Amino acid sequence: MDELPGSWLVELFLPTTTNDGTPFPREAFGRVRDELLEAFGGVTLFSRNPAEGLWAEGEGEGAARDEVLTAEVMTDRVDPRWWADYRRDLEERFSQEEILMRCYRLWKL
């Protein structure tokens, strides 16, 4: 897929702990911050109050839970291949099956 022109907001949801509950070191989030800053010239990392994510594991298994930090990038172009590669890299670094990313088209009012 080609780059998508326009103004975009990309959100990344990063887990604050490993699957066994061990907190990730601050350096892990600093690395993401620095990478996004270098690639896009700016980044916002919401780290004061981690959000809680819940999802159903399966029938009768209850809910799984994550606390996440959100990183946001505003950009004039989105390269889906770059973001897919970056997501795979983050999934490996944070030992996750999936790192959620969302991309929104922005309109200036």
Side-chain angles (χ1 to χ4, degrees), residues 13-16 49-55 63-70:
F13 297 87
L14 304 171
T16 60
N49 294 312
E52 182 179 57
L54 297 170
W55 64 95
R65 176 182 172 278
D66 259 342
E67 285 190 351
V68 295
L69 300 180
T70 305

Side-chain angles (χ1 to χ4, degrees), residues 12 26 31 34 40 46 48 55 62 66 73 79-80 104 106:
L12 296 79
R26 288 181 63 95
R31 179 178 171 190
D34 293 346
F40 298 98
F46 297 96
R48 285 197 187 126
W55 64 95
D66 259 342
V73 172
D79 181 346
Y104 299 96
L106 299 177

Side-chain angles (χ1 to χ4, degrees), residues 2 5 12 16 19 25 27 40 47 55 80-81 97 103:
D2 293 331
L12 296 79
T16 60
N19 293 330
E27 293 81 21
F40 298 98
S47 59
W55 64 95
R81 281 175 275 187
E97 289 181 26
C103 182

Side-chain angles (χ1 to χ4, degrees), residues 75 102 109:
T75 181
R102 296 191 295 202
L109 303 176

Side-chain angles (χ1 to χ4, degrees), residues 37-97:
L37 178 61
E38 183 176 331
F40 298 98
V43 61
T44 302
L45 191 64
F46 297 96
S47 59
R48 285 197 187 126
N49 294 312
E52 182 179 57
L54 297 170
W55 64 95
E57 285 278 64
E59 192 171 318
E61 294 183 36
R65 176 182 172 278
D66 259 342
E67 285 190 351
V68 295
L69 300 180
T70 305
E72 291 184 346
V73 172
M74 291 194 332
T75 181
D76 290 332
R77 294 217 169 271
V78 171
D79 181 346
R81 281 175 275 187
W82 187 92
W83 284 105
D85 290 343
Y86 193 58
R87 179 197 337 238
R88 281 189 291 277
D89 181 51
L90 291 175
E91 289 166 348
E92 186 174 313
R93 274 194 252 169
F94 286 91
S95 300
Q96 298 293 300
E97 289 181 26

